[in-house]
Amino acid sequence: MSSHGSSAPAMMNPAQMEAVQHLHSPCLVLAGAGSGKTRVITHKIARLLQPGPGADLAPAEIAAITFTNKAAAEMRERAKSLIGAKASGKLLICTFHSLGVKLLREDGEALGLKPQFSILDADDVTSILRDAGGTTDVKQARHWQWTISLWKNQGLDSSQALSQAKSDDEQVAARVMKLYEERLAAYQAVDFDDLIGMPLKLLTEHEHVRKKWQKQLRHVLVDEYQDTNATQYELLKLLVGQDGIFTAVGDDDQSIYGWRGATLDNLKKLPQDFPNLRVIPLEQNYRSTSAILRAANNVIATNPKLFQKTLWSDLGEGDPVKLLECDNEEHEAERAVAHFVTHRMNLLEKHPGDPSKTAWSNFAILYRANHQARPFEQALRRANIPYKVSGGQSFFDKAEIKDLCGWLRLLVNNDDDPAFLRAATTPKRGIGHQTLGTLGEFAGKWKVSLFEALFTESLAATLSARALGSLHEFGRYVNDLEHRARHTFGGEDAKLLLLEWLKDISYEQHLYDGEENEKVAAARWNNVLDFVDWIARRCGGEIENDGGMTIETEKKSVIDVAQSISLITSLAERNADQNVVTLSTLHASKGLEWPHVVLAGINEGSLPFSREEGDITPQQIEEERRLMYVGITRARLTLVISALKRRKKGREYVQAPPSRFIAEMKLGEGGPKEDPREKLRRLREELAAKAKANAQSQTQTH
């Protein structure tokens, strides 16, 4: 084992050091914004690998759970630099959903799930719910989807949901949920919520599986603990057991995902469920100036506190937080862009030839909702300033990529009916809707998947010879492709196979036939080629994380890579290091930071968000205040708060009162003209300079 971890903690502050060294009982690290939580987690992993009581673990006995693939990749890279590639490669660093997949692939057969189950994306779920609920209304299906997801995150199945339903709408949703559950079981498929709910059921109902995982994972670390929902907390409790040792790292002041089931109850329950819990607050912020932190502390102080902490920084007072009042949305965008241009010109004068200080990537505009981006995009384009909209369409949401993922999912799991339907009809291959409808009825009657039904002898009695021939040809091609994909390893061979497949199904021609605009078709085909390259790299043992770094792993088959695709949310973030201004929602900005930030549209109705006057509960206001706090603490050096006087409502302008959070920031109040630590440092420097000057003058005199 590498010994890198032994000397590194000396550079830590006392609270960080305490969190790293605490090994003998459960630990909650209250990590304020910018307080170095990833550092604490990775150094604690290194500490757990060293000899000593409560430590001396093997890398495979440690799990670090995060919420995004990006955070997992960053943590893996940092761990690698501390403990070396060999040890870090054996750590289980993954998202909650990836952990769920691992548990279900290894032990899901106890729940009647085959190891080759499919993971459905949101669009698949919508189409199954439309079918199950007998509706063509996508909006209605999405409403059911949202409701069912919330129920699943609360740990409810359809019968429990039905018994708790408060309205006719909820009763209908619960009945649709029952049909949905039946179809998922028949398809041998799971949705994203099942990746938490089913492992929870697995560990609850099967003691031998629970004991296996508790024995295997001797220390579990959970990042962004405040974002966990009820089901994730129950899963964590079963993974660690009653006497288990774990480290939860989170911040009650940054809990902003209540709308998707995250609950602060999980933070309240920890001291009750684990009485010997050690709570360690990290209050020193390494990101922002004192002026910015004072504004953040003032805002969040209005919320009731679960645990006390106040962020502080020794980075100096810094520039005061500015407030811009703008006539309307267009004026706000112009002022924000003008502010950036002026500020950057000043930086270019101060730091000529230093792109780290003057790059456009140092600037960000953050807002509450996606629709607020448009005027800023227009203003940036007019000023010829490059930008990117964060949280835009994911690479995997593009229709052409979904088509190919449908094919790959079918290879992984022949019983995946939504994937079968997509592959059989894209591109068109003489299999019409009537044929598929008849096949679907036949499969339903005999309770088999569409793919299995296709080769049943009695199917010939219900279909014409021509239709049956087309289905058999398709089935044989899928079987042949699956066989080749399972036995094709390494980057070059994978690429050859994939290009041959695309040629076989005439996919490029399909794109050009479906688009009037050749440029659009060409762009879509380029996306397909990017996708092929991306799979080939993963087959060749290269995984590019979101920071653009390449992590080496063992070579994989095309089928191995296809299995993991459902969990990879975005390829587009490969371009994270571009020199562009970032436009982002506040929710998408969490965990990120920029030297110069504008918080835009800080008005009542936008932040806190409400559709109508008074249409917001005290709990929602508290969550919106935490969202404001997250926004403020993204800024390192300068922060501008921008508010409208009037905003657009339909075709008219209406008065827009400034957000209550602006008054709560207490701008211009209580801030020392100079931070005491900064003053002390400056006095020391002046004294040292005088002493040096005196010494030099004495030398010259002699």
Short mmCIF file of all heavy atoms in Angstrom, two decimals, residues 2-5 42-43 45-46 49 72-91 93 541 543 545 549-553:
data_model
loop_
_atom_site.label_atom_id
_atom_site.label_comp_id
_atom_site.label_asym_id
_atom_site.label_seq_id
_atom_site.Cartn_x
_atom_site.Cartn_y
_atom_site.Cartn_z
N SER A 2 0.44 2.25 -0.75
CA SER A 2 1.20 3.51 -0.81
C SER A 2 1.12 4.22 0.53
O SER A 2 0.14 4.17 1.23
CB SER A 2 0.59 4.40 -1.90
OG SER A 2 1.04 5.71 -1.75
N SER A 3 2.18 4.94 0.91
CA SER A 3 2.17 5.64 2.19
C SER A 3 1.90 7.13 2.02
O SER A 3 2.11 7.90 2.92
CB SER A 3 3.51 5.43 2.88
OG SER A 3 4.54 5.97 2.06
N HIS A 4 1.40 7.51 0.85
CA HIS A 4 1.18 8.94 0.58
C HIS A 4 0.32 9.60 1.65
O HIS A 4 0.50 10.74 1.96
CB HIS A 4 0.47 9.11 -0.78
CG HIS A 4 1.34 8.80 -1.93
ND1 HIS A 4 1.69 9.71 -2.87
CD2 HIS A 4 1.95 7.65 -2.29
CE1 HIS A 4 2.47 9.13 -3.78
NE2 HIS A 4 2.62 7.88 -3.45
N GLY A 5 -0.67 8.83 2.16
CA GLY A 5 -1.66 9.44 3.06
C GLY A 5 -1.09 9.86 4.40
O GLY A 5 -1.70 10.64 5.09
N THR A 42 -11.23 11.82 1.06
CA THR A 42 -10.13 11.06 0.45
C THR A 42 -9.01 10.80 1.46
O THR A 42 -8.42 9.71 1.48
CB THR A 42 -9.57 11.77 -0.80
OG1 THR A 42 -9.31 13.13 -0.49
CG2 THR A 42 -10.56 11.71 -1.95
N HIS A 43 -8.72 11.77 2.32
CA HIS A 43 -7.69 11.54 3.35
C HIS A 43 -8.18 10.52 4.38
O HIS A 43 -7.38 9.77 4.94
CB HIS A 43 -7.29 12.85 4.04
CG HIS A 43 -6.29 13.63 3.25
ND1 HIS A 43 -6.66 14.52 2.26
CD2 HIS A 43 -4.93 13.63 3.26
CE1 HIS A 43 -5.56 15.03 1.71
NE2 HIS A 43 -4.51 14.52 2.29
N ILE A 45 -10.11 7.98 3.67
CA ILE A 45 -9.92 6.69 2.99
C ILE A 45 -8.46 6.24 3.18
O ILE A 45 -8.19 5.10 3.54
CB ILE A 45 -10.28 6.80 1.49
CG1 ILE A 45 -11.80 6.94 1.32
CG2 ILE A 45 -9.78 5.58 0.72
CD1 ILE A 45 -12.24 7.30 -0.10
N ALA A 46 -7.52 7.18 2.95
CA ALA A 46 -6.10 6.85 3.10
C ALA A 46 -5.80 6.43 4.54
O ALA A 46 -5.05 5.48 4.79
CB ALA A 46 -5.24 8.06 2.72
N LEU A 49 -6.77 2.86 5.45
CA LEU A 49 -5.90 1.82 4.89
C LEU A 49 -4.63 1.62 5.72
O LEU A 49 -3.93 0.62 5.56
CB LEU A 49 -5.51 2.18 3.45
CG LEU A 49 -6.66 2.26 2.44
CD1 LEU A 49 -6.16 2.78 1.10
CD2 LEU A 49 -7.32 0.90 2.26
N ALA A 72 -17.97 11.20 -8.28
CA ALA A 72 -17.30 9.91 -8.07
C ALA A 72 -15.96 9.88 -8.80
O ALA A 72 -14.96 9.41 -8.26
CB ALA A 72 -18.20 8.76 -8.54
N ALA A 73 -15.95 10.39 -10.06
CA ALA A 73 -14.70 10.40 -10.85
C ALA A 73 -13.65 11.29 -10.19
O ALA A 73 -12.47 10.93 -10.12
CB ALA A 73 -15.00 10.88 -12.27
N GLU A 74 -14.09 12.45 -9.68
CA GLU A 74 -13.15 13.37 -9.03
C GLU A 74 -12.58 12.73 -7.76
O GLU A 74 -11.37 12.79 -7.49
CB GLU A 74 -13.87 14.68 -8.66
CG GLU A 74 -12.94 15.72 -8.04
CD GLU A 74 -13.68 16.91 -7.43
OE1 GLU A 74 -14.86 17.12 -7.75
OE2 GLU A 74 -13.05 17.62 -6.64
N MET A 75 -13.45 12.06 -7.00
CA MET A 75 -13.00 11.43 -5.76
C MET A 75 -12.01 10.29 -6.06
O MET A 75 -11.01 10.12 -5.37
CB MET A 75 -14.21 10.89 -5.01
CG MET A 75 -13.94 10.67 -3.55
SD MET A 75 -15.43 10.17 -2.69
CE MET A 75 -16.30 11.71 -2.60
N ARG A 76 -12.31 9.53 -7.11
CA ARG A 76 -11.44 8.42 -7.50
C ARG A 76 -10.05 8.95 -7.89
O ARG A 76 -9.03 8.39 -7.52
CB ARG A 76 -12.07 7.66 -8.67
CG ARG A 76 -11.48 6.28 -8.89
CD ARG A 76 -12.18 5.54 -10.00
NE ARG A 76 -13.53 5.14 -9.66
CZ ARG A 76 -14.64 5.63 -10.23
NH1 ARG A 76 -14.55 6.54 -11.18
NH2 ARG A 76 -15.83 5.21 -9.88
N GLU A 77 -10.04 10.06 -8.63
CA GLU A 77 -8.77 10.66 -9.08
C GLU A 77 -7.96 11.16 -7.89
O GLU A 77 -6.75 10.97 -7.81
CB GLU A 77 -9.09 11.82 -10.05
CG GLU A 77 -7.95 12.21 -10.96
CD GLU A 77 -7.42 11.05 -11.80
OE1 GLU A 77 -8.21 10.20 -12.25
OE2 GLU A 77 -6.20 10.99 -11.97
N ARG A 78 -8.65 11.80 -6.93
CA ARG A 78 -7.95 12.32 -5.75
C ARG A 78 -7.41 11.19 -4.87
O ARG A 78 -6.33 11.27 -4.31
CB ARG A 78 -8.89 13.22 -4.94
CG ARG A 78 -9.22 14.51 -5.66
CD ARG A 78 -9.18 15.66 -4.67
NE ARG A 78 -10.11 16.70 -5.04
CZ ARG A 78 -10.54 17.63 -4.21
NH1 ARG A 78 -10.16 17.62 -2.95
NH2 ARG A 78 -11.37 18.57 -4.62
N ALA A 79 -8.22 10.13 -4.75
CA ALA A 79 -7.79 8.97 -3.96
C ALA A 79 -6.56 8.34 -4.60
O ALA A 79 -5.61 7.94 -3.91
CB ALA A 79 -8.92 7.96 -3.84
N LYS A 80 -6.57 8.28 -5.93
CA LYS A 80 -5.44 7.69 -6.67
C LYS A 80 -4.15 8.44 -6.38
O LYS A 80 -3.09 7.85 -6.18
CB LYS A 80 -5.77 7.72 -8.17
CG LYS A 80 -4.74 7.07 -9.07
CD LYS A 80 -5.23 7.12 -10.51
CE LYS A 80 -4.16 6.79 -11.50
NZ LYS A 80 -4.64 6.95 -12.89
N SER A 81 -4.22 9.79 -6.31
CA SER A 81 -3.01 10.58 -6.06
C SER A 81 -2.50 10.38 -4.63
O SER A 81 -1.33 10.57 -4.34
CB SER A 81 -3.26 12.06 -6.34
OG SER A 81 -4.14 12.59 -5.37
N LEU A 82 -3.41 9.98 -3.71
CA LEU A 82 -3.01 9.78 -2.31
C LEU A 82 -2.50 8.37 -2.05
O LEU A 82 -1.52 8.19 -1.32
CB LEU A 82 -4.22 10.01 -1.40
CG LEU A 82 -4.52 11.42 -0.91
CD1 LEU A 82 -5.74 11.39 -0.01
CD2 LEU A 82 -3.34 12.01 -0.15
N ILE A 83 -3.17 7.36 -2.61
CA ILE A 83 -2.86 5.98 -2.20
C ILE A 83 -2.34 5.12 -3.36
O ILE A 83 -2.04 3.94 -3.17
CB ILE A 83 -4.09 5.29 -1.57
CG1 ILE A 83 -5.24 5.20 -2.58
CG2 ILE A 83 -4.54 6.01 -0.32
CD1 ILE A 83 -6.45 4.41 -2.07
N GLY A 84 -2.25 5.73 -4.56
CA GLY A 84 -1.73 4.97 -5.69
C GLY A 84 -2.83 4.30 -6.50
O GLY A 84 -3.93 4.06 -6.00
N ALA A 85 -2.51 3.99 -7.75
CA ALA A 85 -3.51 3.47 -8.70
C ALA A 85 -4.00 2.09 -8.29
O ALA A 85 -5.19 1.78 -8.41
CB ALA A 85 -2.91 3.41 -10.11
N LYS A 86 -3.12 1.24 -7.79
CA LYS A 86 -3.50 -0.15 -7.50
C LYS A 86 -4.56 -0.20 -6.39
O LYS A 86 -5.60 -0.84 -6.52
CB LYS A 86 -2.26 -0.96 -7.09
CG LYS A 86 -2.52 -2.45 -7.01
CD LYS A 86 -1.24 -3.21 -6.68
CE LYS A 86 -1.55 -4.70 -6.52
NZ LYS A 86 -0.39 -5.46 -6.05
N ALA A 87 -4.28 0.50 -5.28
CA ALA A 87 -5.22 0.49 -4.15
C ALA A 87 -6.52 1.20 -4.51
O ALA A 87 -7.61 0.73 -4.20
CB ALA A 87 -4.58 1.15 -2.93
N SER A 88 -6.41 2.36 -5.20
CA SER A 88 -7.62 3.13 -5.51
C SER A 88 -8.53 2.38 -6.47
O SER A 88 -9.75 2.53 -6.44
CB SER A 88 -7.27 4.51 -6.09
OG SER A 88 -6.69 4.37 -7.37
N GLY A 89 -7.93 1.53 -7.31
CA GLY A 89 -8.72 0.74 -8.26
C GLY A 89 -9.62 -0.27 -7.58
O GLY A 89 -10.62 -0.72 -8.16
N LYS A 90 -9.29 -0.64 -6.34
CA LYS A 90 -10.09 -1.65 -5.62
C LYS A 90 -11.14 -1.02 -4.70
O LYS A 90 -11.97 -1.73 -4.12
CB LYS A 90 -9.16 -2.55 -4.80
CG LYS A 90 -8.28 -3.44 -5.69
CD LYS A 90 -7.30 -4.24 -4.87
CE LYS A 90 -6.38 -5.05 -5.79
NZ LYS A 90 -5.27 -5.64 -5.07
N LEU A 91 -11.09 0.30 -4.52
CA LEU A 91 -12.09 0.98 -3.69
C LEU A 91 -13.43 0.95 -4.42
O LEU A 91 -13.49 0.98 -5.64
CB LEU A 91 -11.71 2.45 -3.47
CG LEU A 91 -10.44 2.76 -2.68
CD1 LEU A 91 -10.09 4.24 -2.85
CD2 LEU A 91 -10.63 2.42 -1.20
N ILE A 93 -15.96 3.31 -5.19
CA ILE A 93 -16.36 4.72 -5.21
C ILE A 93 -17.42 4.86 -6.30
O ILE A 93 -17.13 4.64 -7.48
CB ILE A 93 -15.16 5.65 -5.51
CG1 ILE A 93 -14.09 5.49 -4.42
CG2 ILE A 93 -15.60 7.10 -5.60
CD1 ILE A 93 -12.84 6.35 -4.63
N GLY A 541 -10.34 0.02 -22.16
CA GLY A 541 -9.83 0.22 -20.81
C GLY A 541 -9.55 1.66 -20.46
O GLY A 541 -8.84 1.96 -19.51
N ILE A 543 -11.32 5.22 -19.33
CA ILE A 543 -12.53 5.95 -18.92
C ILE A 543 -12.13 7.39 -18.73
O ILE A 543 -11.26 7.70 -17.92
CB ILE A 543 -13.12 5.40 -17.62
CG1 ILE A 543 -13.54 3.94 -17.81
CG2 ILE A 543 -14.31 6.23 -17.17
CD1 ILE A 543 -14.10 3.30 -16.57
N ASN A 545 -12.85 10.84 -17.24
CA ASN A 545 -13.76 11.43 -16.27
C ASN A 545 -14.10 12.85 -16.70
O ASN A 545 -13.62 13.34 -17.71
CB ASN A 545 -13.17 11.38 -14.85
CG ASN A 545 -12.03 12.37 -14.64
OD1 ASN A 545 -11.84 13.30 -15.42
ND2 ASN A 545 -11.27 12.15 -13.59
N MET A 549 -9.52 13.89 -17.49
CA MET A 549 -8.43 12.96 -17.17
C MET A 549 -8.81 11.56 -17.64
O MET A 549 -9.98 11.21 -17.66
CB MET A 549 -8.20 12.90 -15.65
CG MET A 549 -8.00 14.24 -14.99
SD MET A 549 -6.34 14.85 -15.18
CE MET A 549 -5.41 13.71 -14.17
N THR A 550 -7.84 10.76 -18.00
CA THR A 550 -8.12 9.38 -18.42
C THR A 550 -7.69 8.41 -17.34
O THR A 550 -6.56 8.45 -16.87
CB THR A 550 -7.39 9.07 -19.74
OG1 THR A 550 -7.92 9.93 -20.74
CG2 THR A 550 -7.63 7.64 -20.16
N ILE A 551 -8.64 7.56 -16.93
CA ILE A 551 -8.36 6.54 -15.91
C ILE A 551 -8.28 5.20 -16.63
O ILE A 551 -9.17 4.85 -17.38
CB ILE A 551 -9.49 6.51 -14.87
CG1 ILE A 551 -9.66 7.90 -14.21
CG2 ILE A 551 -9.23 5.47 -13.81
CD1 ILE A 551 -10.96 8.06 -13.49
N GLU A 552 -7.19 4.45 -16.38
CA GLU A 552 -7.02 3.15 -17.03
C GLU A 552 -7.75 2.06 -16.24
O GLU A 552 -7.63 1.99 -15.02
CB GLU A 552 -5.53 2.79 -17.10
CG GLU A 552 -4.72 3.73 -17.99
CD GLU A 552 -5.01 3.57 -19.48
OE1 GLU A 552 -5.40 2.45 -19.88
OE2 GLU A 552 -4.87 4.55 -20.21
N THR A 553 -8.52 1.22 -16.95
CA THR A 553 -9.12 0.04 -16.31
C THR A 553 -8.86 -1.15 -17.23
O THR A 553 -8.26 -1.00 -18.29
CB THR A 553 -10.63 0.23 -16.12
OG1 THR A 553 -11.24 0.39 -17.41
CG2 THR A 553 -10.96 1.43 -15.26
#
